[in-house]
Amino acid sequence: MTLLDDFALRAALAGLGVALAAAPLGCFVVWRRMAYFGDATAHAAILGVAISLAFSLPVFPAVLAVALIMALTVSALTDRGHGLDTILGVLAHSALALGLVAVSFLQGVRIDLMAYLFGDILAVTRGDLAVIWGGAAAIWALLYARWGALLTATISPDLAYASGINPKREARILTLALALVVAVAIKVVGVLLISALLLIPAATARRFAHTPEAMAGIAAGIGAISAFGGLAFSFIYDTPSGPSIVCIAAGLFCVASIFGVIRRST
Amino acid sequence: MSLLEIKGLGVTLGEHRALNHVDLSIDRGEIVTIVGPNGSGKSTLLKAIIGAVPTDAGTITRAKGLRIGYVPQKLHIDPALPMTVRRFLSLPKRRGTNEVRAALAEAGAPDLADRQMADLSGGQFQRVLLARAVLERPDLLLLDEATQGLDQIGSANFYRQIETLSAQTGCAVLMVSHELHVVMSASDRVVCLNGHVCCHGTPEIVASAPEYRALFGSGTQGALALYRHQHDHGHDDGNDPARAPELPRGHAHTPDCNHAAKHDDSIPEANQ
């Protein structure tokens, strides 16, 4: 396909794919107050990058594996009711620091660390595109199949049990989806801003939604607008793509908040 | 056979032995109420029945194909989660519009379908929870202090609704309640729980049982004594001596003490 030879189109498709994958999952992150959880999982991804470089492995599976291990560790600790906030903070930042140190130990490998921290969407290859859209499709399929059960478990574990749903299983499904979105998004927004892409569109969509499904759909739309807007900005002003996308998302959030305040006061 | 048969149930939450050697069975169409002081394991028992807490002893046998409707003690829906009443009632299974409307009417909360859950009053919220339980077409309805936060009229109405529902659909009801006046009038059977089953029987029998009086006091037939009772009445499980001071009239419980038989003996005396 010659069309996909255009790097701008590849970048746009990559941004769209990540935005669509992150939006519905971001809603659960908001509803279940898992923001820090997302951070810890995302930050661990840099350790995955170090491992993939050290052993010449492809980046995607290495990042997915490390993110998954981190996410499972965190959810195991949560189940036991440890001081969650503190533990998540410790894990998130330790994983990031450890990853950065590990990368610096790799000799002979010249990598642009910035690309993994903040995303390098302009270097997206066709292979990356396949990974991104494959991952997005997997996340949508997973969430679609378990939507009712996930929502019930999110509202109340007890109601879930009474309906024959195991809320711990549903939590693990979300954990898996979160690790997937991290592995998919690392190329586009980088590890530092993945949680922002999860949170901000979902938080913005809340004002306009009356049902959970509407919130997920609106969040996907806002995510897509942010991705396109951020990319355009990044092309024009030569800014890093990840932060640009998040800036647009944050701008939309502000506009929505002001709109909400005005609507309430009239 | 009965809908639900619990034998020798034990539950430990963290370090705390919440339930010990609990026996209980529910028959079709029965209304059974669990009373007991705070921390006596009432909610834990209901949660064990729905499978939300792990048990470490005994068995819970459900009748084949038993459908359970569960109304939790309290439910907080995060304001970040937009949720209409209609959507909530369709969780986890999709329900038709008519079905939802009928269930809301049965629970005494018509016209709420399009409201946001977060905007409901306490009473409306509880009725929506009841409607959700009703949608399961339950054989057994579990209510965990379902009238918490309702005023007296509200809770009286609520319980009347439960009675009507049970009479109409033939479903059994197992409820936890702090409102003894309601309990005594509406229940077929009362179970007095304090980690173990202290005593059980018809409301009259339980109200006059010495174990119940030790828990709830006797001055007002127990109706008002709830908040004045002493927790440590020597009725502990015996595993924790520090928490079970030897009261003159109390005894330490063991798996072998046969309360049912004892209470049966005590009925004639109590009624005299």
Side-chain angles (χ1 to χ4, degrees):
Chain A
M1 260 221 295
T2 51
L3 199 59
L4 287 181
D5 290 340
D6 182 2
F7 74 98
L9 183 66
R10 284 201 303 269
L13 284 176
L16 182 65
V18 168
L20 292 183
L25 197 58
C27 290
F28 280 103
V29 169
V30 169
W31 297 333
R32 298 170 72 104
R33 298 172 182 267
M34 291 164 64
Y36 233 153
F37 189 101
D39 259 349
T41 310
H43 288 180
I46 201 74
L47 200 57
V49 171
I51 290 171
S52 93
L53 291 172
F55 299 100
S56 311
L57 296 168
V59 172
F60 176 75
V63 166
L64 181 61
V66 173
L68 199 56
I69 290 169
M70 180 56 123
L72 289 175
T73 309
V74 170
S75 54
L77 289 173
T78 346
D79 280 352
R80 288 200 209 127
H82 287 267
L84 188 57
D85 208 40
T86 310
I87 288 208
L88 283 176
V90 169
L91 283 175
H93 299 301
S94 313
L96 183 64
L98 193 61
L100 292 175
V101 169
V103 170
S104 76
F105 267 119
L106 298 171
Q107 292 187 349
V109 189
R110 248 196 89 251
I111 64 152
D112 184 5
L113 204 53
M114 285 286 278
Y116 290 104
L117 291 178
F118 297 112
D120 186 7
I121 199 170
L122 301 184
V124 164
T125 64
R126 283 192 203 184
D128 293 332
L129 264 188
V131 165
I132 288 170
W133 280 88
I139 289 166
W140 276 76
L142 205 58
L143 293 186
Y144 182 78
R146 308 292 313 165
W147 188 258
L150 284 168
L151 270 180
T152 309
T154 297
I155 289 174
S156 155
D158 287 340
L159 281 188
Y161 276 119
S163 298
I165 297 162
N166 182 352
K168 288 186 181 153
R169 194 185 118 151
E170 304 308 321
R172 278 198 294 277
I173 288 172
L174 281 181
T175 303
L176 175 67
L178 199 61
L180 251 176
V181 96
V182 165
V184 158
I186 187 169
K187 194 99 187 190
V188 177
V189 287
V191 295
L192 291 183
L193 291 171
I194 288 172
S195 338
L197 202 60
L198 287 166
L199 283 177
I200 300 176
T204 311
R206 171 63 186 98
R207 290 183 185 284
F208 306 104
H210 293 290
T211 60
E213 292 76 18
M215 182 161 154
I218 296 171
I222 291 170
I225 294 170
S226 310
F228 290 142
L231 277 176
F233 193 91
S234 162
F235 280 132
I236 297 167
Y237 299 102
D238 194 24
T239 51
S241 56
S244 307
I245 292 172
V246 173
C247 280
I248 301 290
L252 290 174
F253 177 80
C254 290
V255 171
S257 302
I258 293 167
F259 174 74
V261 169
I262 292 171
R263 196 171 54 170
R264 219 174 303 139
S265 62
T266 48
Chain B
M1 88 161 255
S2 38
L3 285 178
L4 188 76
E5 181 97 44
I6 299 173
K7 281 216 168 91
L9 182 70
V11 173
T12 307
L13 300 175
E15 306 279 290
H16 174 62
R17 185 78 176 155
L19 291 175
N20 207 12
H21 289 284
V22 172
D23 294 333
L24 180 67
S25 82
I26 313 283
D27 286 329
R28 212 162 276 281
E30 247 188 331
I31 299 186
V32 180
T33 303
I34 306 170
V35 298
N38 291 329
S40 59
K42 305 185 297 291
S43 294
T44 307
L45 178 57
L46 293 199
K47 285 185 183 181
I49 293 172
I50 59 170
V53 295
T55 62
D56 50 29
T59 54
I60 299 176
T61 317
R62 297 172 171 204
K64 221 174 162 188
L66 178 74
R67 286 191 305 272
I68 290 182
Y70 175 66
V71 179
Q73 186 171 21
K74 53 179 183 282
L75 185 61
H76 173 73
I77 295 190
D78 197 298
L81 176 56
M83 181 67 72
T84 58
V85 169
R86 186 193 308 278
R87 185 70 192 90
F88 177 72
L89 294 178
S90 277
L91 283 175
K93 283 194 267 304
R94 286 276 173 187
R95 312 283 187 183
T97 310
N98 291 334
E99 214 182 341
V100 164
R101 196 179 302 140
L104 281 171
E106 254 179 286
D111 310 323
L112 289 182
D114 294 317
R115 298 273 297 275
Q116 283 286 309
M117 292 295 288
D119 297 339
L120 299 180
S121 72
Q124 288 170 330
F125 201 103
Q126 290 310 117
R127 283 170 190 277
V128 169
L129 287 177
L130 179 61
R132 187 179 174 279
V134 165
L135 276 167
E136 295 280 333
R137 296 278 147 230
D139 308 301
L140 174 61
L141 198 54
L142 301 177
L143 306 168
D144 191 355
E145 285 184 50
T147 58
Q148 224 184 23
L150 300 197
D151 59 20
Q152 244 178 348
I153 297 170
S155 87
N157 284 339
F158 190 87
Y159 281 118
R160 207 163 304 135
Q161 200 91 43
I162 303 284
E163 264 186 290
T164 314
L165 202 69
S166 169
Q168 278 170 359
T169 64
C171 75
V173 179
L174 177 62
M175 59 186 177
V176 168
S177 180
H178 267 316
E179 287 157 293
L180 298 184
H181 53 288
V182 179
V183 168
M184 294 307 174
S185 70
S187 312
D188 297 317
R189 258 188 319 137
V190 176
V191 175
C192 179
L193 195 72
N194 191 23
H196 58 277
V197 176
C198 280
C199 51
H200 64 92
T202 64
E204 298 75 35
I205 292 173
V206 170
S208 55
E211 285 85 354
Y212 176 86
R213 298 207 167 183
L215 272 179
F216 291 108
S218 54
T220 56
Q221 285 294 311
L224 293 173
L226 179 62
Y227 301 101
R228 287 189 250 123
H229 70 265
Q230 296 290 316
H231 276 236
D232 295 318
H233 65 122
H235 240 287
D236 230 295
D237 53 24
N239 291 340
D240 185 358
R243 277 191 58 246
E246 281 296 318
L247 295 184
R249 287 182 59 242
H251 71 281
H253 275 265
T254 67
D256 308 316
C257 57
N258 187 347
H259 282 285
K262 182 161 166 276
H263 296 157
D264 288 343
D265 292 342
S266 70
I267 299 161
E269 291 169 35
N271 283 349
Q272 276 161 14

